[in-house]
Structures are given as C-alpha cells and as structure tokens.
Amino acid sequence: EAGVTQSPTHLIKTRGQQATLRCSPISGHTSVYWYQQALGLGLQFLLWYDEGEERNRGNFPPRFSGRQFPNYSSELNVNALELEDSALYLCASSFPDGWNYGYTFGSGTRLTVV
Amino acid sequence: AQKVTQAQTEISVVEKEDVTLDCVYETRDTTYYLFWYKQPPSGELVFLIRRNSFDEQNEISGRYSWNFQKSTSSFNFTITASQVVDSAVYFCALSDSNTGFQKLVFGTGTRLLVSP
C-alpha cells in the first residue's frame, strides 16, 4: 500500500513569490492535515481538510491556504512568501477519526525562501 | 490549553545502552490521546504508538516500551539495548477534545544519537 506522498521534495522560491505543495493521502483516508516544521519552532498545525472542506486551521496568516480535491488529495498554497516561511511542510492523512487509528505522515516538502 | 514538554533536547548513548525519553503533557480534558513519533533524517514522521487516557497499561513492543502515568502526566518512552538505527528525533504529541481530537500538539522533540 502506498503511503502519503508529497511533491515536490524540495522547493526554492524567492521572497514574494507563491509556493504550491501537493499531498496524496493513503487510499481510504479522507482527512488531510498540514504541519509546518520550522527550525526552532517545532511542529505546528497548519490546516485540516476532510471531505473537501477546511475543518480547522492553526495560527497562521491567511496567505497560507489550501484545498482538498474530490480524490482527497490536497494542495497547500503559500502566497507572498517570506523568509521565515522556510521550513519542512509535512502532510498527514487519516480516517475521519484519526485519533483512533493514527495519522500517517509523508516525507515532507522542504521549502526554502531566498 | 494543551502543552507537551520534552525537556531533553538531545541524548547521546552508546549502542546497547538503555535510554528513556521523557514526555510531560498538560490538558484539562479527561479524554485525550498521546502519541510517539520517530523522525529519521529522511524527514518522515513514523508512528510508534497511540494511547488513550483511559488506558494506563504500560506497553512493550520489542525493544520499545512506554510508561503512561496519569498521576504525573507523563508518557515516557524507553528503548532497551539501543541500536544505531534508533538514531532519530522522537516526538511526543497530544490530542484532546479542545481541538476536536484532530489536531496534534507536539513537543519540541528529543534528538537521540546512538553511536557504535
């Protein structure tokens, strides 16, 4: 069974540009979560999507947004990139009650803003 | 508010030593879930264990064991006879009803370095 796949693996962008990160969940999982792992800040919850709807978001500005497609894959968009957006962005997927079955994470997209 | 504290930033041991990674959590909920994840250099978070607040039984899985104590709000992780492949960053995480259980609150992680 394929795990959670994220693309691209690495992404280098210039300050002010937009970045798009992609995530494909495990087959059967309808929930997708995005986390940011920035140096010195640990893992911070960004967004949760389930059945195509945004269900919850963390304390991030509106320039962090995303969507979930009918096949449950997801995109994370970061607009007007700032240097501090440089981080590893991890996607996870689960069944709707992920706390019972656990969350499976991908290997992440490392975003570097220069 | 929920909080997870992993006071040990980095631990270095020699292969075959036992090592315990500490995790202390804070929550006002009576129902909550605790997790441990391993993050090797590849970056992927690997799920190790999930425990709910009603199950205080300790668990052993091979060389791994977990000690859950509600009285001290701790969920410690012990690796017996450590191996070089255990070198990674280990995260403890919490979810509770305050976030609908869906959001994981992570500790800052403990980097374990096992040398041969």
Side-chain angles (χ1 to χ4, degrees):
Chain A
E1 177 184 282
V4 175
T5 57
Q6 292 188 245
S7 63
T9 306
H10 293 87
L11 190 58
I12 300 175
K13 291 286 187 178
T14 303
R15 191 170 49 183
Q17 285 187 319
Q18 178 194 39
T20 298
L21 289 62
R22 296 179 177 81
C23 173
S24 293
I26 286 177
S27 177
H29 286 184
T30 61
S31 283
V32 170
Y33 313 81
W34 289 94
Y35 285 82
Q36 182 197 64
Q37 187 176 18
L39 201 61
L41 294 178
L43 279 148
Q44 305 289 323
F45 170 76
L46 252 171
L47 289 160
W48 166 35
Y49 291 95
D50 183 65
E51 295 287 358
E53 300 279 337
E54 180 181 303
R55 302 295 185 182
N56 200 357
R57 66 180 293 131
N59 293 326
F60 282 85
R63 57 190 187 81
F64 285 84
S65 65
R67 53 181 173 167
Q68 186 178 34
F69 299 99
N71 67 354
Y72 302 113
S73 66
S74 175
E75 264 182 14
L76 173 68
N77 295 296
V78 188
N79 294 319
L81 285 165
E82 300 178 2
L83 296 178
E84 52 264 36
D85 296 333
S86 294
L88 179 67
Y89 289 84
L90 290 164
C91 171
S93 73
S94 76
F95 294 113
D97 51 348
W99 59 90
N100 270 326
Y101 296 96
Y103 306 88
T104 305
F105 283 82
S107 297
T109 293
R110 186 163 297 282
L111 173 64
T112 302
V113 182
V114 297
Chain B
Q2 320 93 314
K3 185 179 179 182
V4 176
T5 301
Q6 294 181 256
Q8 303 151 308
T9 305
E10 187 169 312
I11 301 175
S12 292
V13 298
V14 177
E15 213 170 14
K16 298 184 183 177
E17 281 186 31
D18 299 347
V19 58
T20 295
L21 309 182
D22 297 334
C23 173
V24 174
Y25 61 91
E26 293 177 31
T27 176
R28 294 179 181 172
D29 282 354
T30 55
T31 302
Y32 53 89
Y33 295 82
L34 296 165
F35 302 79
W36 274 97
Y37 282 89
K38 173 182 179 180
Q39 187 177 41
S42 61
E44 179 179 353
L45 283 173
V46 177
F47 170 77
L48 296 177
I49 191 171
R50 176 192 67 87
R51 179 53 50 88
N52 72 53
S53 53
F54 299 109
D55 182 3
E56 281 194 80
Q57 271 193 323
N58 291 328
E59 182 157 338
I60 298 175
S61 177
R63 297 184 297 106
Y64 295 169
S65 63
W66 290 269
N67 183 0
F68 178 28
Q69 291 197 331
K70 289 175 73 171
S71 59
T72 56
S73 297
S74 65
F75 187 41
N76 296 336
F77 173 32
T78 298
I79 302 175
T80 303
S82 59
Q83 300 176 1
V84 173
V85 293
D86 295 327
S87 296
V89 181
Y90 291 85
F91 291 94
C92 180
L94 164 75
S95 74
D96 64 15
S97 65
N98 191 45
T99 58
F101 295 108
Q102 292 287 359
K103 168 186 164 184
L104 291 172
V105 175
F106 285 88
T108 51
T110 297
R111 181 177 300 277
L112 175 64
L113 178 60
V114 182
S115 54

